[in-house]
Amino acid sequence: MARDLNASGIPLQPFYDGYTGKRTPPGTYPYTRGIRSDMYRGRHWTMRQYAGFATAAESNARYRYLLAQGTTGLSVAFDLPTQLGYDSDAPQSRGEVGKVGVAIDSIDDVETLFADIPLDAVTVSMTINSPASILLALVLAVARRRGLAFDKLGGTIQNDVLKEYVARGTYIFPPAPSMRLVTDVMAYCAQSVPNWNTISISGYHIREAGSTALQEIAFTLANAKAYLQAATRAGLSVDDVAPRISFFWNAHNDFFEEIAKFRAARTLWSEIVRDEFGSHDKRSQMLRFHTQTGGSTLTAQEPENNVVRVTLQALAAVLGGTQSLHTNGADEALGLPTADAARVALRTQQIIAYESGVTDVVDPLAGSYYVETLTDELTTRARELIAEIDAQGGAVDAIESGWMQDRIGDSSYRAQQEIERGAAVVVGVNKFADGGPVTQIPIQRIDATIERDQIERVRAVRAARDPARLDARLADVRAAAEGTANLVPCFIEAVDAGATVGEICNVLRAVFGQYVARERIA
C-alpha cells in the first residue's frame, strides 16, 4: 500500500526521528506519534460516512450506494425522536420524524435498515446515546435472527451520555441511571460481543457547542475518566473495558492545532489509563478515535467553499493519526447531504489516501518545531484543566454544577464576537463576500409523507405482536431496572418480542425518572 520511493525516486523511510530524545517511536507508549508502528502504511483509516434519513428503507439504499462507492464502514444517524426515546407516533415526535436521521421504532426497522448488508463483514457505528443500549439490543437481535454469532460482529455504539448534558441535550434519564446503562453495555459486551466498541466518547459535540481545542481535549478526557470510574465501581476491570473504548473528535479549521490536538490527546489518555487506573494492557492505553470534519465551520453562503474546508480538516485528521473518518458534505449547512454531496465527501478521503502521499510515512509532521511545541502546550494545559475538574469532584459534578457548560458558553461567545468584529475571517461570509444571494444548490428534502408512513408502520408492528409475550418481556425490563441485573439481555428479548424503542424507554422513565436541566442565572 505504501510507497518505498516517491515520484522523484527519493527513498522513503517508514518514519523519521529527527526530534531527538523527545518522542518514542510510533506504536509505543505514550502513543503520541500513533497507536501502530506502521499506521497507514499497513492499512488506511476506515472511511465511515455518516448517513441516515427518512425511513429505514431509504437509509439502506444510501448505505448500499456508499458501500458501492468505496465506503469501508457504516455510520448511522438517527432522527430526534429516536434519540430521545420516543416512537414516531408519540405527540413529542410530531414534525421531526426522519428529519435529521433515520426513524427507528422496532426490530422491523432495523432489519430493513441493514437488509442485504452483512453485519459480520461491515462494521457499523451508531450515533445514539441515552437509548444506546436499546439500539444495540436491536442490532444484536437482528444478528441473532440471521444466525450470526455475536463475536463476529464489529462496530461502535456512541453511548456517551455525559456530553449530552454538556453540549447536545438529547438526554432522557438522570446521570446515575444513565451511567448504569453505559456500564451494563460495557459488561455485557466484554462477555458476549468482544469486538464491539462499547462507547465512543465525544469531543466532537463539545467542540460544535463552541469549546476551544484545549477544552475539547480536557472535557472529553475528564468524561472518559468518569466512565472508567463508573466501570470500576460496577466491578469491571479497567483492562476488560478500556480496550473497547474509542473517542470521537472534531476536525476544525486551525490546521496545525488540530494535528497537535490529536497527538496530545493520545499522550494524555495513555497516562490516565496506565498511571491513574493501573492498566497493564497496552490496548487499553491506546487512544483509538473517529473524526468528523467540523459541521459548525460550514457556511450556507458560497457552499462550494465547504469542499475546501472539509479537505483541510480531513487532512489534519489523517496527519493526526485518526482510525476512522467522516467528511461532511458541502451542502450540510443547508440540509442533510444529497447522494452527490456524499460522494464528493467520500472522494475527498480517497484522494487523500491514494493520491496525496501522506500515508507513506508515519506521523510525517513529527519534528516540526511548531507542531511539537503545540503538542506539548496542549498536553500541559489540558492536564491542568483536567486537574481542575478533578478538584471539583470529577466530570459529573462539573457538569451538574454547570461549570463545564459555562466554560463552553464563554468560549463560544468569544469566538462569535471575533467573527462579528472581523477579527476571525470566514471567507465568503465576513470577508470576500460578493453580496449576492446564497448559491442555489440541490438540497435533500424529507417528504411530509415520511412521517405518516412511519406511523402506519409502527402501528402495524404493534397490531401484529403477541401481547402476552410482549407484556412479559417488558415486565422483565422493569424488574431489572428496579434491581441490579444487567439490562441488555432484557432489552434483546423485549425488542425480539416486538417492543418499540419508545415503549422500553417509557418503562425506564417510570423507574429512573427524567432529567431536567437546572436553570442557571448568569
Side-chain angles (χ1 to χ4, degrees), residues 32-54:
T32 309
R33 300 195 59 190
I35 63 169
R36 297 196 313 271
S37 61
D38 58 351
M39 287 301 289
Y40 309 132
R41 291 175 60 83
R43 62 182 174 88
H44 290 141
W45 60 93
T46 301
M47 300 180 193
R48 189 184 300 282
Q49 288 301 107
Y50 184 48
F53 64 99

Side-chain angles (χ1 to χ4, degrees), residues 6 80 83 93 116-117 300 346 437:
N6 72 6
L80 279 175
Q83 293 181 51
S93 303
D116 300 317
I117 293 172
L346 174 60

Side-chain angles (χ1 to χ4, degrees), residues 162 179 201 206 215-229 247 249 268-269 272 276-277 382 385-390 393-396 398-399 403-404:
L162 288 180
M179 294 293 272
I201 305 169
I206 290 171
Q215 290 169 333
E216 183 185 357
I217 299 169
F219 295 173
T220 304
L221 294 182
N223 287 349
K225 288 178 63 173
Y227 290 121
L228 281 182
Q229 288 160 354
F247 288 81
W249 300 110
L268 288 164
W269 178 243
I272 289 167
E276 295 185 36
F277 288 89
L385 193 49
I386 293 168
E388 191 174 349
I389 294 168
D390 288 344
V396 175
I399 291 166
W403 182 89
M404 204 179 284

Side-chain angles (χ1 to χ4, degrees), residues 21 44 108 156 163 221 330 353 443 488:
H44 290 141
D108 288 17
T156 301
K163 67 94 173 44
L221 294 182
I443 298 174
V488 177

